[in-house]
Amino acid sequence: AQKVTQAQTEISVVEKEDVTLDCVYETRDTTYYLFWYKQPPSGELVFLIRRNSFDEQNEISGRYSWNFQKSTSSFNFTITASQVVDSAVYFCALSELTGKLIFGQGTTLQVKP
Amino acid sequence: KAGVTQTPRYLIKTRGQQVTLSCSPISGHRSVSWYQQTPGQGLQFLFEYFSETQRNKGNFPGRFSGRQFSNSRSEMNVSTLELGDSALYLCASSLASLARDYNEQFFGPGTRLTVL
């Protein structure tokens, strides 16, 4: 069965600190996709990144970076030099070819000035 | 390019009533998915429509239904509302294709449903 686990319910950091959000997934398929979404207080889910199961290359986009490791079934997300505007709920999600997204429970990140 | 729009944004209903929520996808997107978000259960997949056909369905009772129109706009309906149906209902659209190439889902702002 598919499952996504975000063990960190809430994280609080001070601005400019680096923070890593953990995501562990379970799937029996060899082809799947992993995602991170951000949900600010307004409620809309904002797409951040997609990674497919055949591409383990890490990715960096500005202050954001993602570490995908199939060996440990993890897809962790790091924010470098966090800012107050990064405060939000972050969701990791998994999808097989059905297109249905399986979400983790989310990690609430609070960045204090 | 306009994003995904959902109407209404807020809704208050009483138990036993029914409700219809609407979603307009991004222009050119043919797939629309619906999700329910609650504090207890998190984000859960309801169903997906592609070319007016339900392509995938989550584990929700039959009181939850949906449809998609020829212009890709979608509606979801919940009949005989229960208190537990209070949630944020999110709609997402994607390009999708019959070949199932995966495309990102872009979400709307959601409809906040409160059942009293």
Side-chain angles (χ1 to χ4, degrees), chain B residues 41-53:
Chain B
Q41 299 300 315
L43 276 157
Q44 292 185 290
F45 173 78
L46 280 156
F47 28 66
E48 182 210 3
Y49 286 87
F50 178 79
S51 291
E52 302 177 64
T53 301

Side-chain angles (χ1 to χ4, degrees), chain A residues 33 35 37 39 42-47 49-50 91 95-105, chain B residues 9 35 37 39-43 45 48 56-58 88 90 100 102-109:
Chain A
Y33 298 85
F35 304 81
Y37 282 87
Q39 187 176 43
S42 60
E44 186 170 342
L45 283 169
V46 178
F47 167 78
I49 190 172
R50 176 189 74 176
F91 290 94
S95 179
E96 295 162 359
L97 289 178
T98 59
K100 164 185 170 182
L101 283 170
I102 304 297
F103 286 90
Q105 286 297 102
Chain B
R9 292 293 311 280
Y35 294 83
Q37 185 176 21
Q41 299 300 315
L43 276 157
F45 173 78
E48 182 210 3
N56 207 345
K57 189 177 189 305
L88 179 67
L90 291 162
R100 296 294 183 105
Y102 198 85
N103 295 279
E104 295 82 83
Q105 294 187 25
F106 294 90
F107 284 81

Side-chain angles (χ1 to χ4, degrees), chain B residues 73-100:
Chain B
R73 189 177 70 84
S74 176
E75 289 182 346
M76 71 161 279
N77 183 277
V78 187
S79 62
T80 319
L81 284 165
E82 300 177 359
L83 295 178
D85 297 333
S86 294
L88 179 67
Y89 290 88
L90 291 162
C91 163
S93 76
S94 72
L95 279 170
S97 74
L98 291 173
R100 296 294 183 105

Side-chain angles (χ1 to χ4, degrees), chain A residues 55-113:
Chain A
D55 182 4
E56 286 192 74
Q57 192 171 13
N58 292 328
E59 180 152 340
I60 298 174
S61 175
R63 296 184 297 107
Y64 296 169
S65 63
W66 291 269
N67 185 335
F68 175 30
Q69 291 193 340
K70 286 179 74 172
S71 61
T72 56
S73 296
S74 65
F75 187 43
N76 297 336
F77 172 31
T78 297
I79 302 175
T80 302
S82 60
Q83 300 176 359
V84 173
V85 293
D86 295 327
S87 297
V89 183
Y90 290 86
F91 290 94
C92 179
L94 164 72
S95 179
E96 295 162 359
L97 289 178
T98 59
K100 164 185 170 182
L101 283 170
I102 304 297
F103 286 90
Q105 286 297 102
T107 297
T108 301
L109 173 64
Q110 183 182 33
V111 181
K112 299 177 181 177

